[in-house]
Amino acid sequence: MNTVPSLPAQVAQIARRSLLRTLRQPAQIVPPVIFPLFLLAINASGLDAATMIPGFPSDSYVDFAMAFAFMQGAIFSMMNSGTDLARDVESGFLKRLAMTPMRRTALLVGQLAGVLAVTLLSGVVYLVVGLIAGVTVETGVAGVVVLFVLFGLIGLAFASLGAFVGLRSGSAEAVQGFFPLFFVALFLSSASLPRELIEQDWFRTVATYNPVSYLVEGIRSLFIFDWDGQALAVAFAIAAAVTCVGLAGAVRALRTQVVR
Amino acid sequence: MSTSHRDNGIEVEGLVREFKKGPRAVDGIDFAVAPGEIYGFLGPNGAGKSTTVLMLTTLLPPTAGTARVAGHDIVAGAAEVRASIGVALQDAALDPLLTGSEHMRLQTALQGVPKADRKRRGMELIERVGLADAADRKVGGYSGGMKRRLDLALALVHGPRLLFLDEPTTGLDPSSRSDLWDEVARLAREDGTTVFLTTQYLEEADVLADRVGIIDAGRIVAEGTPEALKAQIGRPALEIVPADIAQRDAAAEVLARFGEAAPAPPNAAAVRLTGGNDALAEVVRSLDAEGVRIADFQLHAPSLDDVFLAKTGKKLGGEDETGEHAAVAETPPAGPAGEREPVGSGSPR
Amino acid sequence: MRRFADVTGAVWWRSIHNFLTNPAFFLPSIIFPLFFFTAFAGGLSSVGDVPGFDFPAGYTAFQFCFVLLQASAFGGVFTGFGIASDFESGFARRMMLAAPNRLAILAGYLLVALTRAAIVITVLTVVALIAGMEVTGGPLDLFGMLLLAAILSLTATLFAAGVAFRTRTIQAGPAMQMPVFLVLFLAPVYVPVELLSGWVEAVAQVNPVTPLIEAARGLISGDAIDGLLAYGIGAGLLVVFAAWAVSGLRRAEAAGG
């Protein structure tokens, strides 16, 4: 007789599908890797002069800009998880899945796990390319470990927001419409310059209230400062809070999608 | 009629179009369309109909051969050809973001209608095709039939003496289709416009066309008036509906003695009578002798469908048919009827 | 000649009508340049304080020039998207059938790109002036700067049109967008070319767009520019890409639109 697979087995199934699905769509895997690296290369060279601004915290703009690349990777994970789940709603796959003994949480967790794997993988690429280009990590090997834990959590935060939007709207187009919004949030943060070096008052104010600034600063501290407990704690706290909000929303949206 | 000059027609000689990969889409065709005539160009998908239209309307240069449209060579006089013809292409290329009257404004400008006349001319045509109420709605919300009618009206803005319609009714429901037929027939009758019409619908050619050319695999396989072509086939089909459906196969067996099988609905059997109508009594007697009781029977005069089947060995739009029909249709390749084909009565070659 | 103008005008009218009446087309073309301008000029202004960054009109004007040229070029790329989708939908055939001379269609699209650029530049200029941009160049200098924007708009349109005529599908969008994007960003975006470092500097030194950007920055601040170089390159780009677009149009004609 058929037995219902265990929850971890269900999660693994969905994660595997999500991972394969992403890897088989070059349009989903190439931009998250290439785009941040391209911008990193442009900015590293184009804004290298910024290190000459008095008070700039690093003597290498590449070191400083690595966090920018990681944040873009996280935003792409929002895009990928959101469009995947929205397509599942659009295609009716979600309804079909609801007819099976599969648990709803398995769908969500599995999907997020798959997206997260791709996100972490692109993070490895950024770091390797960065190291080849001469990036130094001030906090050393332990810092790299913490970097990937933090990056994973930030990726999860954005992916769960994506899942929320995708499941709530059920439209891949709506998710893609949200995507630029996150890029705007990234650009209007302290990603390009430290907050205290932003001259325009209004821009500095926006960057100060923009939570993305603190995620960037947490990642960046690992590259350019020695251990900075406060920056890391704030980054972890914000990422965790966003993850909670995103997951709660996604679970709710999933419930209504399946019932409908 | 003032427009019936010689330069209102089409003359095609040895027209060929090759594409880089694949066979010749159009493989040396000759025909002529007289001024004021409605010429139906029939063929299945991929036979070369649209390629021919694209060449005659100067959208696609021919690989070899020549054609004169409205008195101008389609290569050397392409700009003059374009000025004399109206074209409604298969996909009714409309901009979903523009309204009907905005399309008119665009088309009258594209065609260089004098500025002062543009508005009046546009409204006139929109009314003529019955779209006055929808004129200020975006075309994105039009039905298929409305789009085709608008496309037809757009083709007429510069008063062309020659009209090309590429599958004008494909995908339309029957009532929109007959509306469009009425409009095309009126154009030819009242304005003396020459119409070159491609279609996969035999009925359309039968209703509208003065003359029909059948194209298959890039070659014209038959040409003539619908009546003449039907007369070439000459043999009626008999369709029997047995009272008991279980006797269908028995009925088909009996019928097979009197000719080759013909397409029939699932509850019936049909035969193309070899001996003409004279065999009718004999068929009924034989069925009686085999104990087949007849609920209904019909004698079909030959249609263009039959002509097409005989000329090409294919049924037009066969892929849409039920398995039963298609199976019967595909069996006779160039078939027995082909042997009896009288030599091209209507062909101008 | 009158028929040529009729067709050009009709093509222009239709695209601009759609552009202005559809927020989905209109807004992104306005918002993207404004966003770049805000993020660059607003967020990075302290870069203007770096030693060796001598730009009399200030960092806002410095970035304004880049965004001005970028928006002009991208307007051309978007116009190329329009051409490609007209071929994909078959709408191009309607124009090809009506035009005695099909170059009139290309001329119409070029006019579309210039009009779009003019609209975006107007909005961008108003925003920049409100944001306190200083202009130290004279009227003739500013005219010269707008001329550079027009040259870049036409060049990008001719390039994208050539791609669109050859591929006749909107799938070719990235093939139109990526090269323009790359060329623009492998140029002195944030700082003058002397302050660039690494490989981008090497590329920027030979990038044909670099002299155009530098000339625009020189003009807005009233500095002396190498006009012969900038306008010479501009003219060269126009000739090369006009040939590319016209030969593309001939290919589209041979393929049956």
Side-chain angles (χ1 to χ4, degrees):
Chain A
M1 282 271 75
N2 291 338
T3 52
V4 178
S6 69
L7 188 60
Q10 294 180 6
V11 171
Q13 279 295 327
I14 300 285
R16 187 168 166 272
R17 166 172 179 267
S18 154
L19 193 62
L20 282 178
R21 183 177 179 184
T22 307
L23 293 179
R24 281 176 192 164
Q25 294 181 80
Q28 276 197 11
I29 189 85
V30 173
V33 175
I34 299 299
F35 198 70
L37 285 177
F38 178 72
L39 260 170
L40 180 68
I42 300 269
N43 286 351
S45 169
L47 281 172
D48 194 50
T51 55
M52 289 186 273
I53 303 172
F56 195 84
S58 171
D59 54 5
S60 154
Y61 195 81
V62 199
D63 291 3
F64 181 84
M66 281 301 285
F68 201 162
F70 276 93
M71 285 307 297
Q72 287 175 63
I75 292 177
F76 275 108
S77 73
M78 171 256 160
M79 170 88 159
N80 283 354
S81 79
T83 29
D84 276 0
L85 286 168
R87 291 224 173 93
D88 281 348
V89 175
E90 279 170 347
S91 70
F93 178 83
L94 205 65
K95 286 228 161 64
R96 192 152 58 83
L97 209 67
M99 310 288 175
T100 69
M102 189 136 301
R103 297 260 293 270
R104 278 173 220 141
T105 34
L107 173 74
L108 197 57
V109 175
Q111 177 67 42
L112 291 176
V115 168
L116 208 57
V118 174
T119 306
L120 288 173
L121 220 65
S122 49
V124 172
V125 177
Y126 308 150
L127 187 66
V128 169
V129 172
L131 290 175
I132 292 171
V135 164
T136 52
V137 186
E138 289 292 326
T139 48
V141 178
V144 171
V145 176
V146 175
L147 168 69
F148 275 91
V149 175
L150 178 57
F151 179 50
L153 188 61
I154 294 174
L156 185 63
F158 278 89
S160 59
L161 280 183
F164 174 39
V165 174
L167 287 169
R168 180 69 197 265
S169 65
S171 142
E173 230 175 27
V175 177
Q176 275 149 16
F178 259 84
F179 183 60
L181 215 67
F182 282 82
F183 260 92
V184 171
L186 180 55
F187 272 96
L188 296 181
S189 75
S190 57
S192 301
L193 281 182
R195 259 179 293 148
E196 56 279 12
L197 293 186
I198 298 174
E199 278 181 348
Q200 306 272 353
D201 288 338
W202 68 269
F203 199 105
R204 195 172 54 245
T205 310
V206 170
T208 305
Y209 285 102
N210 184 351
V212 173
S213 292
Y214 301 95
L215 299 175
V216 172
E217 287 165 21
I219 295 181
R220 191 156 63 206
S221 72
L222 294 165
F223 282 97
I224 62 171
F225 300 133
D226 211 350
W227 295 100
D228 180 343
Q230 197 196 339
L232 286 174
V234 172
F236 270 105
I238 289 179
V242 173
T243 306
C244 290
V245 172
L247 281 180
V251 168
R252 258 184 83 100
L254 180 63
R255 204 171 294 146
T256 45
Q257 279 294 357
V258 173
V259 168
R260 240 189 278 164
Chain B
M1 214 170 289
S2 62
T3 46
S4 54
H5 307 218
R6 181 68 202 146
D7 67 4
N8 199 5
I10 304 171
E11 293 158 43
V12 178
E13 277 172 46
L15 205 59
V16 172
R17 175 68 202 196
E18 279 169 352
F19 289 104
K20 270 183 193 140
K21 294 157 248 174
R24 288 182 168 192
V26 173
D27 192 7
I29 56 174
D30 305 82
F31 63 88
V33 178
E37 192 175 35
I38 301 186
Y39 188 87
F41 206 46
L42 265 174
N45 277 333
K49 296 190 301 286
S50 290
T51 307
T52 305
V53 171
L54 290 180
M55 286 192 284
L56 294 181
T57 56
T58 76
L59 280 173
L60 190 68
T63 309
T66 58
R68 295 179 77 77
V69 171
H72 306 286
D73 185 87
I74 55 167
V75 179
E80 289 79 8
V81 170
R82 289 203 280 279
S84 335
I85 61 171
V87 184
L89 289 177
Q90 230 179 83
D91 34 16
L94 301 171
D95 185 333
L97 298 173
L98 295 179
T99 66
S101 43
E102 284 166 351
H103 268 95
M104 272 298 165
R105 177 179 170 170
L106 174 70
Q107 190 76 25
T108 47
L110 278 174
Q111 291 289 5
V113 174
K115 267 212 174 79
D117 303 341
R118 287 181 191 172
K119 208 162 193 163
R120 186 186 47 76
R121 179 84 183 137
M123 274 323 290
E124 219 173 76
L125 284 167
I126 285 212
E127 272 167 34
R128 177 167 181 177
V129 295
L131 288 174
D133 292 341
D136 293 322
R137 274 166 41 202
K138 286 194 177 164
V139 165
Y142 278 24
S143 71
M146 292 162 80
K147 285 183 185 163
R148 296 303 179 113
R149 277 184 286 155
L150 177 61
D151 196 20
L152 179 64
L154 291 172
L156 298 173
V157 295
H158 53 305
R161 290 164 300 142
L162 225 155
L163 195 58
F164 286 86
L165 304 175
D166 195 7
E167 305 205 4
T169 62
T170 298
L172 293 192
D173 61 81
S175 96
S176 316
R177 188 175 295 174
S178 71
D179 284 353
L180 206 84
W181 288 349
D182 290 347
E183 190 52 47
V184 172
R186 192 149 66 97
L187 269 170
R189 200 172 54 242
E190 290 174 10
D191 303 355
T193 311
T194 310
V195 179
F196 183 89
L197 165 106
T198 78
T199 180
Q200 345 182 15
Y201 299 119
L202 293 148
E203 192 195 352
E204 187 159 292
D206 211 354
V207 170
L208 278 179
D210 300 317
R211 253 173 352 111
V212 171
I214 297 179
I215 184 168
D216 187 41
R219 290 168 179 276
I220 292 186
V221 293
E223 201 190 33
T225 64
E227 292 70 29
L229 287 172
K230 283 185 264 185
Q232 287 177 27
I233 302 297
R235 296 176 304 147
L238 177 65
E239 185 178 303
I240 299 286
V241 181
D244 180 357
I245 186 112
Q247 290 188 313
R248 204 200 74 105
D249 290 344
E253 258 171 52
V254 174
L255 290 181
R257 299 177 209 159
F258 297 91
E260 76 272 19
N267 65 337
V271 64
R272 188 157 313 286
L273 293 170
T274 311
N277 291 1
D278 305 342
L280 212 52
E282 189 58 36
V283 175
V284 175
R285 271 197 293 276
S286 306
L287 284 169
D288 203 31
E290 297 290 336
V292 177
R293 290 200 305 122
I294 303 166
D296 192 11
F297 77 90
Q298 276 181 320
L299 198 61
H300 295 289
S303 68
L304 274 182
D305 276 283
D306 305 318
V307 176
F308 193 82
L309 182 61
K311 298 291 182 187
T312 68
K314 292 177 214 152
K315 193 169 157 59
L316 211 50
E319 64 268 7
D320 303 327
E321 300 289 317
T322 59
E324 180 73 7
H325 277 216
V328 178
E330 253 137 45
T331 29
E339 293 154 22
R340 308 158 43 120
E341 182 183 338
V343 195
S345 56
S347 168
R349 284 175 238 197
Chain C
M1 215 35 230
R2 194 182 66 78
R3 288 287 291 117
F4 194 95
D6 277 338
V7 173
T8 299
V11 171
W12 175 83
W13 173 80
R14 176 229 173 198
S15 291
I16 293 300
H17 173 89
N18 282 355
F19 177 65
L20 292 179
T21 52
N22 289 281
F25 296 161
F26 184 67
L27 289 179
S29 337
I30 300 278
I31 287 173
F32 275 108
L34 286 182
F35 171 69
F36 276 116
F37 179 64
T38 310
F40 292 169
L44 296 171
S45 57
S46 51
V47 173
D49 305 337
V50 161
F53 197 122
D54 297 317
F55 190 67
Y59 198 70
T60 305
F62 185 84
Q63 275 304 344
F64 172 82
C65 292
F66 178 75
V67 176
L68 175 84
L69 298 182
Q70 186 203 35
S72 306
F74 273 118
V77 172
F78 290 142
T79 305
F81 287 2
I83 300 176
S85 68
D86 276 345
F87 274 95
E88 190 165 288
S89 72
F91 197 84
R93 280 180 173 164
R94 182 174 296 288
M95 299 186 265
M96 298 284 258
L97 275 168
N101 182 347
R102 275 120 175 206
L103 286 175
I105 300 171
L106 177 60
Y109 281 123
L110 290 171
L111 217 53
V112 168
L114 286 179
T115 310
R116 291 178 63 146
I119 294 170
V120 176
I121 286 172
T122 307
V123 176
L124 188 66
T125 306
V126 169
V127 170
L129 290 174
I130 291 173
M133 176 174 73
E134 284 178 58
V135 177
T136 47
L140 197 64
D141 295 328
L142 295 184
F143 175 77
M145 181 185 74
L146 291 177
L147 193 62
L148 288 172
I151 289 173
L152 217 52
S153 159
L154 292 176
T155 303
T157 311
L158 289 166
F159 161 72
V163 177
F165 287 144
R166 283 171 170 79
T167 56
R168 298 181 294 284
T169 161
I170 193 65
Q171 307 275 347
M176 296 178 224
Q177 195 168 23
M178 277 317 283
V180 175
F181 184 84
L182 285 176
V183 166
L184 283 171
F185 276 90
L186 295 176
V189 179
Y190 307 109
V191 291
V193 72
E194 312 85 64
L195 289 181
L196 287 174
S197 71
W199 66 280
V200 174
E201 190 202 355
V203 177
Q205 291 285 5
V206 294
N207 185 341
V209 173
T210 300
L212 270 70
I213 297 176
E214 291 193 319
R217 285 171 177 160
L219 287 165
I220 201 169
S221 59
D223 275 359
I225 60 156
D226 193 344
L228 195 65
L229 178 68
Y231 292 104
I233 288 177
L237 287 173
L238 284 179
V239 169
V240 169
F241 286 105
W244 163 254
V246 171
S247 61
L249 178 62
R250 298 296 172 233
R251 285 231 219 154
E253 286 181 319

